[in-house]
Amino acid sequence: MPSAPAPVDLPDLRLRPGGPFGLYLHVPFCLTRCGYCDFNTYTPAELGGVNPDAWLAALCTELELAAARLGAPTVHTVFVGGGTPSLLGFARLGVMLDAVRTHFELAPDAEVTTEANPESTSPEFFAAIRDAGYTRVSLGMQSVAPRVLATLDRVHSPGRSAAAAREALAAGFEHVSLDLIYGTPGETDEDLLDSVEVALDTGVDHVSAYALIVEDGTALARRVRRGELPMPDDDVMAERYQLLDARLSSAGFSWYEVSNWSRPGGECRHNLGYWDGGQWWGAGPGAHGFVGDVRWWNVKHPNAYAGLISDGELPVGGFEELSDGDRHTEDVMLALRLRRGLEVSRLGAEERRRADAAVADGLLVTEGGRLVLTDRGRLLADGVVRGLLG
């Protein structure tokens, strides 16, 4: 095991008053690595074996240290992500939530979410985590087209994600999300619409859909570079987005963030906390946190993470203190992604002139003193933000 890195001291963390506070808990384990993924995850082969119980003990200790550092604030949302949290099994997921309750005050109406891979779930799994206090499940579906799943190196069968969603609903979960990826080389319009139709048929109240991004260092990027697969086409991406938006809208779903749709009341409160500029503590290898004006990130490797924890140190790899200008940039960038938009009053004079130009170009509309992306603006959201900020 490599020696633990030198600890990094965080500056004073002062929670801004008001607004929800969340916890993000990162599970770094996967059975296999998907070709498009650049998340901080590790397979058993990459770690030389996995000891989830040692990792879990370190995570619980980090939660204890975090609560002491912050004064044990009330937690309104918990999100267990990864990686593949469902690989831990329901008992360990229950231990994680028990640790939250031990060291923090969990709000009575707290939203508690876990991500899950359909292949590592079962009716018994969903019933047990529901009994433990989880209120929301987010399932990786990606597609129901076998060739798309094969290109993405996904190991679950085409029908398993829908079956898992139905099992979660039957276990009593009111809020279940299915995640789609569109724009995979070889995907057709029919492939995407079939996937959306299957998702709708399950009865879930939330769908996320993300354009495939070819990240440097991934297996997918290497295949594109070798000419085995074409680079995703921007025009095709736009057409696919419009297709899925139209179908979801016709089924009673509304977009509340550029890549997220829900039925009324099905919005993910934890993720809304990110987009609203909220505060959270990120626990686990590579997790990010944001409190006050300080953003930090943990060391990435599970062994380095555990080493710092065993020395009684927070496993921080680095941090930054955001200036007023940094915060303004992020507030504009994040608020414009939301359906409720950005308050015009938060913009400076020059930014308002740029906003007027974007309205004239059909990229933004003004609704009740807020700037909201048009349908065309959603396709060009990043460019609209850059244009607004100059």
Side-chain angles (χ1 to χ4, degrees):
M1 173 176 168
S3 59
V8 174
D9 291 328
L10 283 176
D12 287 341
L13 299 177
R14 299 182 182 276
L15 279 163
R16 300 187 302 276
F21 173 74
L23 291 174
Y24 171 75
L25 312 181
H26 186 70
V27 179
F29 309 128
C30 285
L31 280 179
T32 61
R33 181 172 296 280
C34 299
Y36 60 92
C37 179
D38 72 337
F39 295 162
N40 187 48
T41 61
Y42 302 84
T43 66
E46 290 168 340
L47 285 176
V50 173
N51 186 342
D53 292 314
W55 161 84
L56 180 56
L59 181 83
C60 292
T61 300
E62 185 185 354
L63 290 174
E64 180 180 6
L65 295 171
R69 188 67 179 263
L70 297 178
T74 299
V75 173
H76 300 90
T77 64
V78 179
F79 195 103
V80 182
T84 310
S86 49
L87 279 180
L88 296 175
F90 58 79
R92 293 189 185 97
L93 286 173
V95 169
M96 293 171 70
L97 191 50
D98 285 342
V100 171
R101 294 190 182 101
T102 297
H103 301 300
F104 292 87
E105 181 73 24
L106 192 61
D109 64 342
E111 176 191 85
V112 183
T113 305
T114 185
E115 294 180 334
N117 185 318
E119 289 298 310
S120 53
T121 62
S122 65
E124 295 75 19
F125 170 86
F126 291 119
I129 64 170
R130 185 73 186 91
D131 288 344
Y134 284 82
T135 67
R136 186 181 190 97
V137 174
S138 179
L139 290 159
M141 182 181 193
Q142 282 68 51
S143 177
V144 297
R147 62 174 170 273
V148 173
L149 294 175
T151 299
L152 296 174
D153 293 324
R154 295 292 294 184
V155 297
H156 66 77
S157 59
R160 177 57 201 153
S161 51
R166 291 188 176 95
E167 290 166 3
L169 292 167
F173 281 95
E174 289 184 49
H175 304 301
V176 179
S177 178
L178 285 168
D179 294 351
L180 299 173
I181 290 178
Y182 62 92
T184 301
E187 179 193 63
T188 66
D189 291 352
E190 290 72 23
D191 290 335
L192 177 61
L193 289 174
D194 286 347
S195 298
V196 175
E197 210 61 46
V198 169
L200 291 173
D201 285 346
T202 64
V204 299
D205 67 345
H206 191 283
V207 173
S208 298
Y210 303 102
L212 179 66
I213 298 175
V214 180
E215 302 282 5
D216 289 341
T218 62
L220 181 63
R222 291 189 290 273
R223 294 184 69 188
V224 170
R225 190 170 57 250
R226 291 194 298 262
E228 297 174 13
L229 293 172
M231 192 74 171
D233 182 272
D234 289 343
D235 290 337
V236 170
M237 293 289 195
E239 292 169 3
R240 298 274 159 77
Y241 182 89
Q242 291 171 319
L243 280 175
L244 68 90
D245 179 59
R247 182 63 190 98
L248 289 169
S249 298
S250 70
F253 283 68
S254 299
W255 75 279
Y256 69 96
E257 192 275 340
V258 168
S259 298
N260 290 271
W261 294 256
S262 74
R263 298 188 189 276
E267 300 87 350
C268 179
R269 288 163 47 199
H270 184 84
N271 287 342
L272 277 171
Y274 295 151
W275 297 315
D276 281 335
Q279 302 173 97
W280 71 93
W281 187 285
H288 287 228
F290 183 39
V291 169
D293 291 320
V294 180
R295 175 180 290 109
W296 72 95
W297 48 92
N298 285 348
V299 295
K300 286 189 171 184
H301 199 281
N303 290 342
Y305 170 81
L308 284 168
I309 293 286
S310 67
D311 291 338
E313 302 284 352
L314 286 172
V316 177
F319 69 90
E320 59 181 345
E321 296 185 73
L322 274 61
S323 66
D324 290 343
D326 294 332
R327 287 296 308 276
H328 176 72
T329 296
E330 291 201 355
D331 288 347
V332 170
M333 177 183 68
L334 295 171
L336 269 183
R337 293 186 64 87
L338 293 172
R339 176 63 183 84
R340 60 174 170 261
L342 170 71
E343 294 176 357
V344 176
S345 60
R346 294 165 68 178
L347 298 178
E350 182 57 34
E351 290 170 335
R352 291 189 191 191
R353 284 192 286 272
R354 297 185 191 119
D356 289 341
V359 170
D361 287 343
L363 300 171
L364 293 170
V365 294
T366 305
E367 297 179 359
R370 291 176 175 270
L371 292 167
V372 178
L373 291 168
T374 63
D375 290 348
R376 178 167 164 259
R378 275 192 281 161
L379 299 175
L380 304 167
D382 291 343
V384 175
V385 170
R386 288 193 298 270
L388 201 61
L389 293 169

